Each structure stands twice: as C-alpha cells, then as structure tokens.
Amino acid sequence: GQSLEQPSEVTAVEGAIVQINCTYQTSGFYGLSWYQQHDGGAPTFLSYNALDGLEETGRFSSFLSRSDSYGYLLLQELQMKDSASYFCAVSPNSGAGSYQLTFGKGTKLSVIP
Amino acid sequence: DVKVTQSSRYLVKRTGEKVFLECVQDMDHENMFWYRQDPGLGLRLIYFSYDVKMKEKGDIPEGYSVSREKKERFSLILESASTNQTSMYLCASTGDHEQFFGPGTRLTVL
C-alpha cells in the first residue's frame, strides 16, 4: 500500500519562509508532486520532482530525496494569498498507470500578518 | 485556456438513487481520474482511465462504476447512492505529470 505523511497545519508570518515536509512509504515510486488548493477551489499543480534535488519556480521550491523517501515544499516571501491547503502526491507506478497519484492528507497553511 | 468541466457544482440525491457525474476535458488528454475529497482525508482515487473504454480501479472503487466512451468524457456512476457517499467529487485529466482538476461536484445523499 501507499502512505504519505505531512503536517496537518502550519502557521507562518507574512514575508517569512515556510517548509512543508512530506514522507512517503509506497510500493513503487515514480515521482513526487505538490498541489495547492484554496478553500472552495480545485487543486492546482505546483511542482513535480522525479530526481533528487531542488526544483525552483519563482517563490516556490520543491525538494526530493529518493533515498530518504522524503520531500518538501518551500515557500518564500509568504503572501496572504498563500493561505491554502498543500498536498504532496506520489506517482507509484510506471507505464500506463504512471500518471496515477496517491495524495497525502494535506497541510493547511495559514499566513498571518 | 485548458479546461475540465463537471456537470454540476451541487447535487442532492436520495438514498438508493442512481447518480451520474459527468466530466469533460478539452485538452485531448488520454488519462482521466475521479477522486473524492473528505475533510481530513485528502483526495482519494476512485477510478481512472488511460484510454477510451479502459478503466482501472483506484483506492476506493466500492459502490462506484465509470464509463469512458469518448476520449473527452469520463463519467462516474453511483449505482445506488448511500449517505456515506456524501462528499466532494473531483475529476482530473492529464497528459503528463500535471493533473488539471475540474471545479468539483458537492454531492449530498439524503
């Protein structure tokens, strides 16, 4: 089976940096993704890591260590609009099912002034 | 602008009714997915399809079936709705590792 662990809630101050960790135990591993979801909205894609290391996209970065079964999402220069839930997700399969995702339960980030 | 649409934003049904949730994507994606989202449980995969007429069970397929007769359309069917199927249902499609989600259907089964 698959399991992903991430903190349920995180609070951070506007302008600060926050890191949301994700550890996973899966029967197979193809890549780690991150999604953002605002209250009442649909999840939107943030990043995908298939290889070890850091991927940077603007204020957001995502890191993966395959040997540690661990990744994180780093949000810099936090803004109020970053208040949302963040989900890590694992692609456990290759081939035709490689785009299937198993999601973590999500981390609710609250950005305070 | 890429788009995934779902037939209803809100739906109220009675226990035992047959329920159809429709999803359409305009991106010519081969892969489509149905999830349900419940507070504290994240998104759980019900079924997915990687080609027309192909379907695969996800993590929680019990009580659901799906249909994919055309590439752009993926339907979720609740054969006999039950109160524990009250949830937010999200459809998604992808051509690579980025999944595009529809706005969701909030289904209430009374």
Side-chain angles (χ1 to χ4, degrees), chain B residues 83-101:
Chain B
T83 55
N84 63 12
Q85 292 179 309
T86 291
S87 187
M88 171 67 82
Y89 290 87
L90 290 160
C91 173
S93 73
T94 186
D96 53 25
H97 294 287
E98 176 178 356
Q99 290 198 8
F100 294 88
F101 284 83

Side-chain angles (χ1 to χ4, degrees), chain A residues 11-83:
Chain A
T11 300
V13 177
E14 190 176 14
I17 299 172
V18 72
Q19 178 174 313
I20 300 173
N21 298 321
C22 175
T23 57
Y24 57 87
Q25 289 186 324
T26 58
S27 54
F29 181 83
Y30 204 65
L32 183 70
S33 303
W34 288 92
Y35 285 78
Q36 178 192 59
Q37 186 180 30
H38 287 99
D39 283 348
T44 56
F45 174 83
L46 291 176
S47 68
Y48 173 74
N49 294 65
L51 303 175
D52 285 359
L54 191 69
E55 297 276 347
E56 298 182 62
T57 308
R59 294 187 296 114
F60 293 5
S61 303
S62 57
F63 172 83
L64 174 65
S65 169
R66 296 173 68 112
S67 60
D68 295 323
S69 298
Y70 164 75
Y72 65 73
L73 180 68
L74 191 73
L75 296 82
Q76 302 181 75
E77 301 172 19
L78 280 173
Q79 301 176 8
M80 299 299 290
K81 68 178 181 180
D82 297 329
S83 292

Side-chain angles (χ1 to χ4, degrees), chain B residues 3-42:
Chain B
K3 190 171 282 189
V4 179
T5 57
Q6 296 183 227
S7 50
S8 305
R9 289 301 305 270
Y10 299 93
L11 207 54
V12 180
K13 295 292 182 181
R14 298 251 176 229
T15 300
E17 281 192 81
K18 191 168 186 176
V19 181
F20 293 86
L21 302 183
E22 303 283 336
C23 175
V24 177
Q25 51 98 2
D26 66 359
M27 295 165 280
D28 201 34
H29 286 161
E30 293 182 345
N31 304 279
M32 297 187 74
F33 308 84
W34 274 106
Y35 298 91
R36 63 177 284 177
Q37 184 173 24
D38 302 286
L41 295 180

Side-chain angles (χ1 to χ4, degrees), chain B residues 57-91:
Chain B
K57 292 180 180 179
D59 298 318
I60 52 165
E62 296 79 19
Y64 304 94
S65 62
V66 290
S67 173
R68 186 134 182 236
E69 296 297 319
K70 293 185 177 182
K71 191 175 186 179
E72 67 271 18
R73 188 179 299 269
F74 192 34
S75 302
L76 180 70
I77 303 153
L78 287 67
E79 295 291 342
S80 177
S82 63
T83 55
N84 63 12
Q85 292 179 309
T86 291
S87 187
M88 171 67 82
Y89 290 87
L90 290 160
C91 173

